[in-house]
Amino acid sequence: VREAMRVLLRTYSQACWQDLKGAPEAIEAGADRARERLNEASAHVARAEWKQAQRALTAARTELNAADRRAGQVTGRVEELKAVAADPQAPVEGVRFAVRDAQRLAMAQPGGAAPHHARVLDSLVERLENAPQRLTGPNPDYWGYLQELESIKTAAGDVVTRIRAERAGG
């Protein structure tokens, strides 16, 4: 995790790693708490306090799972950023498909797309076209780019959900 954080700090803009800044320390603290819970479990086992030992083991597992998730966030972020830096267009294709799919569904309505859906979808297309601008300059904001693409994809899915609800009379 520390090496992955070094890669993030050296290679990417601050926006790409700011939310992960304290991850190595948080992971170590979680591992330390898990060790404490394991020591407690051992003490309970020595006294044949099985329920307390089980609770301590469950608490240790919870701490380790949380630390593992946090470590996965850091290493996963490095992989995501490397992938988008290598091919910035790759994540766009899935988002473009989601927006087009929403547009097709909107246009398939009797009388065409409702104006409120059309406005939202048009703004999503514009955001999708503007998203690559985040990748200009000496320190591209790859994370902001990925977040914007995810936001567009989610918004397109929301339009689909609303259209389906309207169709169902909801």
Side-chain angles (χ1 to χ4, degrees):
V1 171
R2 288 200 183 278
E3 180 56 32
M5 281 302 297
R6 277 192 283 280
V7 168
L8 287 171
L9 292 168
R10 281 192 319 254
T11 311
Y12 301 100
S13 68
Q14 183 177 4
C16 294
W17 53 262
Q18 184 68 30
D19 62 318
L20 300 174
K21 189 167 48 172
E25 295 79 14
I27 293 166
E28 285 180 23
D32 288 343
R33 287 188 301 272
R35 280 188 209 94
E36 290 171 10
R37 298 300 84 78
L38 290 173
N39 289 337
E40 290 173 15
S42 291
H44 289 301
V45 166
R47 294 188 300 266
E49 298 169 339
W50 307 115
K51 285 188 180 194
Q52 292 90 337
Q54 184 177 8
R55 277 191 224 114
L57 284 174
T58 300
R61 186 177 300 118
T62 299
E63 291 290 349
L64 289 174
N65 286 340
D68 186 50
R69 277 192 304 277
R70 189 72 169 156
Q73 288 175 325
V74 174
T75 56
R77 177 81 52 91
V78 171
E79 294 308 311
E80 281 183 278
L81 294 173
K82 282 181 181 179
V84 76
D87 186 5
Q89 276 304 114
V92 170
E93 295 311 312
V95 178
R96 191 177 314 281
F97 177 81
V99 172
R100 283 185 184 151
D101 194 43
Q103 287 173 321
R104 278 189 217 98
L105 181 63
M107 292 306 295
Q109 300 306 301
H116 60 284
H117 295 311
R119 278 191 301 278
V120 171
L121 291 169
D122 288 346
S123 73
L124 293 179
V125 169
E126 185 177 336
R127 285 174 58 193
L128 187 57
E129 289 171 358
N130 292 332
Q133 292 174 5
R134 291 178 175 267
L135 303 180
T136 59
N139 294 310
D141 183 3
Y142 293 111
W143 187 242
Y145 176 68
L146 289 173
Q147 296 297 93
E148 174 68 356
L149 293 177
E150 186 60 33
S151 173
I152 294 167
K153 187 174 183 179
T154 299
D158 292 345
V159 170
V160 168
T161 301
R162 284 193 301 273
I163 291 171
R164 288 182 178 153
E166 290 169 8
R167 270 186 170 177

